[in-house]
Amino acid sequence: MTGTARAVPENGPQAGQGAGPRAGRAATPPEKPRAAAQEAPPPGAPPTVPREVPLGILRPSVELYVDLHARPELSGAEARTAERFAAALERHGAEATRGVGGHGVVGVLANGPGPVVLLRAELDALPVAERTGLPYASTTAGVMHACGHDLHLAAAAGALGLLARARDAWSGTVLVVGQPAEETLEGARAMLADGLYERFGTPDAVLAQHTAPLPAGTVAHARGGPLMAGSAALDVVIHGRGGHAGAPQLAVDPVLTAAATVLRLQSVVARETAPAEQVVLTVGALHAGERGNVIPDRAELSLSVRAFDEAALDRVTAAVERIVRAECAASGCPREPEFTLTSRSPALLPDPDTTAAVRRVHEELFGPHRVTDWPPATATEDFPRYGAAGTGIRTAYWMLGVTGARQWRAARASAVPPPANHAPDFAPDVRTALPAGITAMAGAALHILRSAEEEAR
């Protein structure tokens, strides 16, 4: 999964050579990027997707990536990111609309009659303090592009550039979406509710890719099943009776109730779920009180449930509510607990025929040894909403390897996995991964545009 293009240091500066740029200063510019060299595709590869990403497309894509990585923005606050992305799309000839479903961006590249293909990328970053040591590390305290959305945006812009240069080879419309608030699973729903399809056209197919701790320069597809789990996120408030820590008999301690609840919830997976069924229940936050000598009057839990079908999500969510209510009753809480469903998203199940076709395109472009299988993962996405059941909209979604060769070899030698998404040291090898992402997205889109045109003849 390694290419030969080099645009920025693979793992940033060595220890002692400096960290990220100071706030208010521009990020250290990358080295002059070289075109993304790939192995020669066998006969039959799409001829208008070049073996090497031209410097005129690769260079601005790298610059966009570095800029966005250094200045990440959280879900719902992606104003600058959206503007930078919209400007990148406009430079490639698209008409860009801002403010769709929040800070969402829609770029339209119309090229006559034909199918509509939507390329989706995400704008938001995570509340993670970066520890990569990269010269273009985040300048925003406590915020980082730790999930690779900056690379998704740069690859989508680059893919649009390739398609714009190949206008003679296809007819139709390319939509490029910069979606806000993916990490909170709110952005896709908001853009659709704001008339995404009614205003810009209903796509025949929607494409997306996501960074993964696989060797850079490879891609991975689902094999006839789900790629990611569905999820439900809940906020729970447990009400107690506050009081003095020295007189607990006069209070009802919600901290104890919350702690008992967290432990009891683990039994939902361990004792109420079949061993062969994949279910994950995680309590990611527990907040209560301010001082050690005060018993608070409430405790707050935030948790997520992940499963591969709606019935399992319903069952586990109901079990959560049952257990919380029971623990509150056992503790004598003065009020019923409160439950808020903050988000819910279905399992990601790409269209099998479209996935198979895109996989063949990727095998032609990269070689079969660089295209692998991706087993079902319990990460979750709101991407399925773009092709909801009954719409007839096809979807394809694949994983894009971003781990550099040196880091991959070190991980295999030490048996310690490379840094993964959401980790503070997650640092994609952009020299190899970005050109591969541009090519993978452009090749998939071009195939769908041309195959629909051929079917219509």
Side-chain angles (χ1 to χ4, degrees):
M1 184 189 261
T2 346
T4 57
R6 293 294 181 260
V8 295
E10 180 175 329
N11 292 311
Q14 300 298 317
Q17 290 183 317
R22 295 178 183 174
R25 294 175 56 188
T28 303
E31 304 168 13
K32 179 179 178 181
R34 298 208 304 261
Q38 298 175 5
E39 297 178 5
T48 48
V49 175
R51 290 175 52 199
E52 297 183 350
V53 178
L55 281 178
I57 291 173
L58 181 59
R59 192 194 312 273
S61 297
V62 172
E63 291 171 352
L64 177 64
Y65 170 80
V66 169
D67 178 76
L68 296 180
H69 189 90
R71 298 168 182 83
E73 296 174 302
L74 292 174
S75 304
E78 314 95 333
R80 181 185 183 278
T81 303
E83 182 55 40
R84 292 284 289 122
F85 185 59
L89 301 182
E90 289 171 337
R91 281 194 296 272
H92 291 304
E95 180 180 338
T97 301
R98 285 91 163 158
V100 181
H103 291 299
V105 174
V106 181
V108 181
L109 183 67
N111 191 33
V116 178
V117 176
L118 189 154
L119 318 182
R120 179 272 208 163
E122 315 96 302
L123 301 170
D124 52 340
L126 286 161
V128 174
E130 182 165 351
R131 295 202 305 267
T132 62
L134 292 169
Y136 51 90
S138 172
T139 60
T140 306
V143 182
M144 175 190 176
H145 269 297
C147 203
H149 294 182
D150 46 356
L151 197 147
H152 302 170
L153 292 166
L160 179 72
L162 284 182
L163 293 168
R165 290 193 178 195
R167 285 175 181 265
D168 291 344
W170 59 274
S171 179
T173 300
V174 176
L175 304 179
V176 183
V177 166
Q179 180 200 306
E182 185 278 329
E183 294 293 350
T184 57
L185 301 180
E186 298 170 318
R189 186 194 296 272
M191 293 193 76
L192 290 166
D194 199 16
L196 174 62
Y197 292 167
E198 292 80 5
R199 295 164 61 183
F200 303 99
T202 300
D204 296 275
V206 183
L207 309 177
Q209 58 190 350
H210 205 293
T211 59
L214 298 169
T218 66
V219 295
H221 289 269
R223 274 291 192 187
L227 192 78
M228 294 186 190
S231 73
L234 293 164
D235 286 345
V236 178
V237 179
I238 294 173
H239 297 282
R241 183 183 301 115
H244 197 291
Q249 75 280 7
L250 303 178
V252 175
D253 189 349
V255 178
L256 183 61
T257 305
T261 299
V262 171
L263 292 176
R264 181 71 179 181
L265 285 174
Q266 307 312 306
S267 68
V268 176
V269 175
R271 287 296 177 266
E272 297 185 29
T273 302
E277 186 178 17
Q278 286 184 278
V279 170
V280 177
L281 195 165
T282 300
V283 179
L286 194 168
H287 299 288
E290 300 293 338
R291 299 287 299 273
N293 64 342
V294 178
I295 294 174
D297 63 0
R298 60 189 277 150
E300 300 173 359
L301 303 175
S302 290
L303 57 92
S304 64
V305 177
R306 301 164 190 266
F308 288 98
D309 62 71
E310 294 298 301
L313 282 177
D314 289 340
R315 176 176 57 79
V316 176
T317 301
V320 168
E321 183 170 342
R322 184 193 77 230
I323 287 172
V324 172
R325 291 188 185 280
E327 290 292 348
C328 288
S331 297
C333 292
R335 290 174 54 190
E336 288 292 311
E338 299 174 25
F339 301 88
T340 303
L341 180 67
T342 58
S343 67
R344 180 155 177 164
S345 186
L348 173 49
L349 186 63
D351 176 69
D353 292 338
T354 306
T355 296
V358 170
R359 182 181 182 126
R360 286 192 296 271
V361 170
H362 289 166
E363 288 175 345
E364 292 169 349
L365 288 169
F366 300 113
H369 62 292
R370 287 189 180 183
V371 181
T372 61
D373 293 338
W374 181 262
T378 48
T380 195
E381 254 271 23
D382 63 356
F383 176 79
R385 298 201 180 280
Y386 291 100
T391 62
I393 300 171
R394 297 171 289 148
T395 60
Y397 190 111
W398 60 91
M399 310 307 290
L400 177 69
V402 297
T403 304
R406 185 192 318 160
Q407 194 175 44
W408 185 261
R409 286 193 297 267
R412 295 193 65 172
S414 65
V416 177
N421 307 67
H422 292 212
D425 54 347
F426 179 67
D429 177 12
V430 67
R431 300 172 300 175
T432 306
L434 179 54
I438 293 172
T439 301
M441 183 63 81
L446 184 60
H447 169 79
I448 291 172
L449 289 163
R450 296 177 68 182
S451 61
E453 183 180 358
E454 291 170 0
E455 290 173 3
R457 290 175 182 171

